[in-house]
Amino acid sequence: MTTPDSGGVPLRVVSYNIHSRRDDTTALAAVVRAAAPDVLIVQEAPRRFRWRQKSATLAESFGLVVAAGGLPSLGNLLLTSLRVRVHDTRCQRYPLTPGRHLRGAAYAECQVGAARFLLAGSHLSTDPAERPAQAAAFKRELAATLPVVAGADLNEGPDGPAWQTVAAGLTDAAVAADRADRHTYPCADPRRRIDALFVDPRITVVDYDVVDTPLTRRASDHFPILVDLLLPAAD
């Protein structure tokens, strides 16, 4: 864990695979509201019929608003508090392998106080043959001038090639906080760290937690990642 720099701008981030809201949605809302994030990176958010309404309802249950994602990014959703100003958004779809599940990513250029950053979220394939190309496509979009905050369910651990592609040149928040032994999946028997938050080296990792409580065990099959950051203020 890094000692906070008084010159930075604080940002609280949660990255969370919500299991398509198939579990206890009341517990899910309570988990996110208790964490009180400035930005929430969601995997397995609404992506089909009435996805706009469902995404807005989900955001409202968390006390947040929709920034980007949904159907155009295949269920990746970026939510923010009113503290965050969103300047621009875009979505990405990875090439489809016939017979497989279409996946993608969501991006938002954001500002908090004097700090601007690129927020990104993705959910890579369960197929190890597909993941490296998806990771490379995601990584290309992270080559931004703005400091990057990227959350993802990578469906593999830190020794996997897709994980290593995304992590290259970025800070793994769990490693920075010396908590890489905290597993994120599955809640019933946590034994894998397949969910991660990566940040630009210019960003300070103040704190990192994998939230394991009775509520999070009811809310999804993944634990949420909760990270406190300090962003560099723009010159």
Side-chain angles (χ1 to χ4, degrees), residues 86-117:
V86 178
H87 291 278
D88 194 17
T89 66
R90 62 186 185 275
C91 294
Q92 176 184 25
R93 293 188 174 191
Y94 303 138
L96 176 63
T97 301
R100 299 296 302 172
H101 191 59
L102 189 60
R103 297 182 184 268
Y107 306 89
E109 295 183 11
C110 301
Q111 182 173 350
V112 175
R116 293 190 64 158
F117 61 100

Side-chain angles (χ1 to χ4, degrees), residues 1-2 171-181 205-209 227:
M1 197 180 309
T2 309
T171 299
D172 181 336
V175 173
D178 195 26
R179 290 179 181 164
D181 60 338
V205 178
V206 178
D207 200 8
Y208 172 98
D209 192 20
V227 187

Side-chain angles (χ1 to χ4, degrees), residues 154-221:
L154 298 156
N155 266 313
E156 68 180 33
D159 58 345
W163 182 297
Q164 292 173 12
T165 293
V166 176
L170 298 175
T171 299
D172 181 336
V175 173
D178 195 26
R179 290 179 181 164
D181 60 338
R182 300 290 302 277
H183 297 154
T184 65
Y185 178 85
C187 288
D189 180 21
R191 59 187 181 275
R192 303 177 66 197
R193 184 165 81 95
I194 63 174
D195 306 274
L197 189 82
F198 303 103
V199 300
D200 187 286
R202 291 170 288 182
I203 295 173
T204 301
V205 178
V206 178
D207 200 8
Y208 172 98
D209 192 20
V210 174
V211 186
D212 179 355
T213 67
L215 274 180
T216 59
R217 287 177 178 258
R218 286 163 40 198
S220 176
D221 61 342

Side-chain angles (χ1 to χ4, degrees), residues 47-175:
R47 56 174 281 171
R48 293 186 176 89
F49 181 64
R50 295 173 57 227
W51 65 271
R52 288 184 179 86
Q53 180 181 338
K54 291 176 181 177
S55 295
T57 299
L58 181 69
E60 184 179 18
S61 75
F62 297 154
L64 302 171
V65 296
V66 174
L71 175 62
S73 65
L74 290 313
N76 296 286
L77 191 63
L78 305 179
L79 307 179
T80 70
S81 73
L82 296 181
R83 179 172 176 253
V84 180
R85 180 179 179 185
V86 178
H87 291 278
D88 194 17
T89 66
R90 62 186 185 275
C91 294
Q92 176 184 25
R93 293 188 174 191
Y94 303 138
L96 176 63
T97 301
R100 299 296 302 172
H101 191 59
L102 189 60
R103 297 182 184 268
Y107 306 89
E109 295 183 11
C110 301
Q111 182 173 350
V112 175
R116 293 190 64 158
F117 61 100
L118 175 65
L119 184 67
S122 188
H123 185 187
L124 303 189
S125 176
T126 57
D127 182 354
E130 279 191 304
R131 284 197 296 268
Q134 294 176 353
F138 185 45
K139 184 66 172 182
R140 284 192 292 271
E141 296 298 317
L142 301 183
T145 302
L146 294 175
V148 169
V149 177
D153 174 356
L154 298 156
N155 266 313
E156 68 180 33
D159 58 345
W163 182 297
Q164 292 173 12
T165 293
V166 176
L170 298 175
T171 299
D172 181 336
V175 173

Side-chain angles (χ1 to χ4, degrees), residues 2-82:
T2 309
T3 302
D5 178 351
S6 60
V9 177
L11 184 77
R12 172 162 281 196
V13 182
V14 169
S15 185
Y16 203 175
N17 182 322
I18 64 170
H19 200 207
S20 300
R21 298 166 298 140
R22 285 180 282 185
D23 302 299
D24 186 331
T25 55
T26 300
L28 178 66
V31 166
V32 175
R33 284 182 174 271
D38 296 304
V39 297
L40 173 63
I41 304 166
V42 181
Q43 299 91 38
E44 295 195 24
R47 56 174 281 171
R48 293 186 176 89
F49 181 64
R50 295 173 57 227
W51 65 271
R52 288 184 179 86
Q53 180 181 338
K54 291 176 181 177
S55 295
T57 299
L58 181 69
E60 184 179 18
S61 75
F62 297 154
L64 302 171
V65 296
V66 174
L71 175 62
S73 65
L74 290 313
N76 296 286
L77 191 63
L78 305 179
L79 307 179
T80 70
S81 73
L82 296 181

